[in-house]
Amino acid sequence: MVKALFPLGEIAVTPCAYDLMKNFNLNWIWFIARHQTGDWGDISNDDQRVNHQSVSNGSRILSAYDVAPVDEMNTHRQLWVLTEADRSFTTILLPEEY
């Protein structure tokens, strides 16, 4: 079992993120587990380094996961998981909701 790297605080899922997960039969717990154990998903190497530093220095942590096939505009549908700097709250949301 992989160790949790940081506390999540309260967890929330936006209605749009919930609908996307429901449409693709995805479980929010899987994304939370990946995020909390340092699997940041589909982000750049630079952003991964920032996340690793954020675990230590108490900054905000953002993971992004491609969850749906490329659409007609040739873009992936993503879910973001965002843990606040004070670790009081973690939210699953769509990028456009940020």
Side-chain angles (χ1 to χ4, degrees):
M1 185 168 204
V2 180
K3 181 181 174 185
L5 299 176
F6 53 91
L8 298 168
E10 292 186 49
I11 299 170
V13 179
T14 65
C16 292
Y18 176 84
D19 288 344
L20 180 68
M21 288 186 289
K22 184 177 177 184
N23 288 340
F24 287 95
N25 197 29
L26 302 169
N27 187 328
W28 65 272
I29 295 171
W30 187 72
F31 296 102
I32 290 291
R34 289 179 65 186
H35 175 72
Q36 191 178 32
T37 58
D39 176 355
W40 316 121
D42 302 295
I43 62 174
S44 70
N45 289 336
D46 287 339
D47 288 338
Q48 289 184 35
R49 278 190 287 280
V50 168
N51 276 351
H52 286 292
Q53 292 170 351
S54 295
V55 169
S56 300
N57 70 20
S59 298
R60 185 178 63 190
I61 301 169
L62 174 69
S63 297
Y65 305 100
D66 290 341
V67 296
V70 174
D71 64 18
E72 60 277 353
M73 297 183 68
N74 204 30
T75 58
H76 290 277
R77 294 294 299 169
Q78 281 193 327
L79 283 176
W80 282 6
V81 181
L82 176 66
T83 299
E84 298 299 332
D86 66 1
R87 308 298 188 252
S88 64
F89 221 84
T90 296
T91 306
I92 300 174
L93 67 156
L94 301 184
E96 56 268 26
E97 296 179 294
Y98 183 73

